[in-house]
Amino acid sequence: MSMVNIGIDDAIEMLSHAHPITKEYEEAFRCAVECMKFTRDFLPLNAAPERVKHALNLLNTLEYIAKEVKV
């Protein structure tokens, strides 16, 4: 089996132009693209699991703040 290496910008481009079958998949693709755009500058695709865990904690914290704080 051969592995294909794809950069985050290429992945974003591909998913941004994908044609999902259902509205649920369309929303999932949109969320994935937004997450990749947000994290691409500080979380490379080959990041260590510990770094990924810290990034997810940061994203969860930001999401909590956005929901709880009326801006």
Side-chain angles (χ1 to χ4, degrees):
M1 179 190 300
S2 117
M3 296 279 295
V4 176
N5 290 325
I6 184 169
I8 189 120
D9 290 321
D10 292 332
I12 290 170
E13 185 67 23
M14 289 175 67
L15 287 176
S16 295
H17 294 93
H19 298 287
I21 297 171
T22 66
K23 289 290 183 187
E24 290 81 7
Y25 279 107
E26 182 178 349
E27 184 63 13
F29 280 32
R30 187 193 64 73
C31 289
V33 168
E34 292 304 314
C35 286
M36 287 189 292
K37 285 178 180 178
F38 180 75
T39 61
R40 73 174 151 203
D41 294 331
F42 66 91
L43 185 64
L45 288 177
N46 60 351
E50 193 63 27
R51 189 171 180 189
V52 172
K53 183 178 174 182
H54 289 304
L56 289 174
N57 286 338
L58 173 63
L59 289 173
N60 287 334
T61 301
L62 291 173
E63 180 182 32
Y64 175 80
I65 292 168
K67 287 181 179 178
E68 295 299 319
V69 176
K70 305 295 184 218
V71 178

